[in-house]
Each structure stands twice: as C-alpha cells, then as structure tokens.
Amino acid sequence: MSQLNATIADPASVDAAIENRFCVRAFLRDKPVPRQMLERLLELASRAPSGTNMQPWKVYVLEGAARDALCAKVCQAHDSVLQHPELETRYRADYDYYPRQWVDPYLARRRQNGWSLYGLLGIAKGDKDKMHQQQQRNFQWFDAPVGLMFTVDRVMGSGSLLDYGMFLQNLMVAARAHGLHTCPQAAWNGYASIVLPHIGATAEEMLVTSIALGYADETAPVNTFHTPREPVASFTHWVK
Ligand SMILES: Cc1cc2nc3c(=O)[nH]c(=O)nc-3n(C[C@H](O)[C@H](O)[C@H](O)COP(=O)(O)O)c2cc1C
C-alpha cells in the first residue's frame, strides 16, 4: 500500500504516544536499550520533513564508558562554576535557546514550571546547593543509559533548527510507542566546548541539544511531575 492510501488503523495509539510523552528525570541506569531499537527510533525520527529535504541532523549516541566519561567531565566543569562563578564565561552555548530578555507570559510560565518541579523535589527557594545538585542530574542524563547529542553544521540557516525540532519530536514520540521515555536537555548546550571534542564532532558543527533516553524509574517521585498546557483558544486566532 502506498503512503497516499495508507489509513492509520489506530489513531488513538498515535494520540496516546503524543499525550504520554513527557520529561522523565529518573531512568533505570542498568536497563539498556537494544541497539536495534535505537536504530529503529532514529530511522523513524529521520522521516521528519526538512526544507528541501536537507536532513540537517547529526546524531551522536553515547553509552557505557563514552557516556560516563562525558558525564564526569561536564559534572566537574559544572561544579567548578559553582565554586568559581567567574568561570561561567568560559562555558557558552553556541546559540540562544532561551530569550535574552524574559517577558511575560513566558517568564511566568517558566517560573511556575521551575518552582513546581523544585517543590516536588523539596527544594526551597534560595537553596543553591540542592538546586545545583538537581542541575547536576542533567549532566548524568538523569541516569539514562543512553545519552544522545545532536549537532548541526554551523553553515545552516536557523530554519534547520525548525527541521531539527520535528526530528527530535518524532524520536521522542516513537520512543513512547516502544515503551521508552526521554528528556530533551538544553542544559548541556553551555558545555559545548567540552561536549563537541568528546563526541568527535568537527569545528563546523554546533551543539543543538541533548536527549536522555531509556526506561523510566516508575518509583521515582520526580517522574510524577506533569506539566499543564494553555487551552487551544488562548493561542489560536481564527482569522476572519
Ligand atoms: C529543547 C528542550 C530543552 C530542554 N532542556 C531541559 C533541560 O536541560 N533540563 C530539564 O530538566 N528539562 C529540559 N526540558 C524540558 C522542559 O522543561 C519540558 O519539556 C517542559 O517543562 C514541558 O514538560 P513535558 O516535556 O514534561 O511535557 C527541555 C525541553 C526542550 C524541548
């Protein structure tokens, strides 16, 4: 059957894979993801559309020793910034993921998100050590056995980041369909100067983001954190 005639026999499953994707922040460290499964997920992700079919994605898969070594390097750098804040300028992301100037409603949503997560974890406002420890969990991929790094050639336009988003969402939704969970992580971006040489990326590539991938720890309280969405009417204009 051609793609044109294919009917999606079970649309509820597609909806469910989308609706049940959320950020898992505690994974089962010792439950590996089979290589075949990883390849299948990446194949599905690559069905994403991209301008003139440029397919700008470049994926680096880290497991085992390569994974652990990068975690150790970045955790150490992150700790050093806590002790010597002047070092922060040494670590810069390749592009602005967040706005330079925070305005509402985005600022309010960001705060609500952050404080809800920290509240669930028992982290009080101003408890810098605990906040640091939680941030540090990012650089352990929340114990996920698979850490994915995504780069794009610096020569590409900002539209390629749009294409990339579609690739990443495909990957995360497909992961749910196969019983896996994910957490996209821009936290790594600031440490591109450590990440890129470690993964063997060339100087022509920039770090787009990272994703933690694995099986969720169903006993971890952090994985009960679910985020709200604005209703369709609040972001949709029916133009007359
Ligand atoms: C590109 C991207 C980068 C993100 N970076 C981080 C991160 O570094 N650490 C983290 O804990 N969550 C990160 N998040 C997760 C968001 O906070 C999360 O997607 C949002 O709060 C909505 O929640 P949900 O994904 O559980 O639905 C990121 C999400 C995206 C899309």
Side-chain angles (χ1 to χ4, degrees), residues 83-152:
Q83 272 133 34
H84 306 282
E86 70 277 8
L87 289 180
E88 196 161 9
T89 52
R90 188 185 283 182
Y91 301 112
R92 284 183 181 283
D94 282 329
Y95 71 100
D96 288 332
Y97 177 66
Y98 294 105
R100 288 194 176 173
Q101 193 195 345
W102 283 96
V103 295
D104 278 330
Y106 314 109
L107 177 61
R109 287 180 196 156
R110 178 190 197 223
R111 284 190 173 139
Q112 192 211 353
N113 191 64
W115 291 119
S116 305
L117 178 62
Y118 283 168
L120 180 70
L121 295 170
I123 303 175
K125 267 188 195 176
D127 191 339
K128 288 195 176 151
D129 281 343
K130 277 197 179 164
M131 280 186 207
H132 180 79
Q133 279 163 29
Q134 179 56 25
Q135 282 165 11
Q136 193 78 306
R137 297 276 302 140
N138 274 289
F139 308 121
Q140 292 149 359
W141 274 301
F142 302 110
D143 287 337
V146 182
L148 299 167
M149 288 290 176
F150 303 94
T151 71
V152 70

Side-chain angles (χ1 to χ4, degrees), residues 21-23 25 97 113 138 142 183-187 227 229:
R21 185 223 51 85
F22 73 102
C23 287
R25 294 187 178 86
Y97 177 66
N113 191 64
N138 274 289
F142 302 110
C183 185
Q185 295 179 263
T227 53
R229 294 294 187 270

Side-chain angles (χ1 to χ4, degrees), residues 4-237:
L4 193 60
N5 302 324
T7 47
I8 309 300
D10 182 11
S13 292
V14 179
D15 294 4
I18 293 172
E19 287 182 329
N20 291 294
R21 185 223 51 85
F22 73 102
C23 287
V24 156
R25 294 187 178 86
F27 291 85
L28 298 176
R29 178 78 182 88
D30 296 325
K31 190 167 178 191
V33 182
R35 172 71 173 260
Q36 248 188 332
M37 171 88 81
L38 280 171
E39 284 180 9
R40 177 64 181 144
L41 294 179
L42 292 168
E43 188 178 41
L44 286 165
S46 75
R47 292 308 309 173
S50 59
T52 64
N53 202 22
M54 285 187 291
Q55 305 166 68
W57 31 83
K58 291 189 172 178
V59 183
Y60 296 83
V61 182
L62 288 100
E63 298 172 283
R67 172 207 177 279
D68 295 350
L70 183 58
C71 290
K73 283 184 200 172
V74 175
C75 283
Q76 194 184 32
H78 184 236
D79 275 343
S80 72
V81 173
L82 181 71
Q83 272 133 34
H84 306 282
E86 70 277 8
L87 289 180
E88 196 161 9
T89 52
R90 188 185 283 182
Y91 301 112
R92 284 183 181 283
D94 282 329
Y95 71 100
D96 288 332
Y97 177 66
Y98 294 105
R100 288 194 176 173
Q101 193 195 345
W102 283 96
V103 295
D104 278 330
Y106 314 109
L107 177 61
R109 287 180 196 156
R110 178 190 197 223
R111 284 190 173 139
Q112 192 211 353
N113 191 64
W115 291 119
S116 305
L117 178 62
Y118 283 168
L120 180 70
L121 295 170
I123 303 175
K125 267 188 195 176
D127 191 339
K128 288 195 176 151
D129 281 343
K130 277 197 179 164
M131 280 186 207
H132 180 79
Q133 279 163 29
Q134 179 56 25
Q135 282 165 11
Q136 193 78 306
R137 297 276 302 140
N138 274 289
F139 308 121
Q140 292 149 359
W141 274 301
F142 302 110
D143 287 337
V146 182
L148 299 167
M149 288 290 176
F150 303 94
T151 71
V152 70
D153 281 335
R154 290 175 195 272
V155 72
M156 302 301 272
S158 42
S160 288
L161 293 180
L162 193 62
D163 302 339
Y164 230 121
M166 302 187 203
F167 175 90
L168 298 173
Q169 176 72 352
N170 267 1
L171 181 66
M172 293 189 285
V173 170
R176 284 309 294 119
H178 291 271
L180 288 148
H181 282 277
T182 54
C183 185
Q185 295 179 263
W188 290 88
N189 293 11
Y191 296 95
S193 61
I194 299 174
V195 172
L196 293 172
H198 184 90
I199 62 178
T202 66
E204 280 75 51
E205 291 164 67
M206 74 170 198
L207 183 60
V208 175
T209 195
S210 175
I211 287 185
L213 175 76
Y215 293 92
D217 178 351
E218 290 174 13
T219 66
V222 71
N223 288 340
T224 62
F225 181 60
H226 296 298
T227 53
R229 294 294 187 270
E230 297 298 314
V232 171
S234 78
F235 61 80
T236 308
H237 302 272

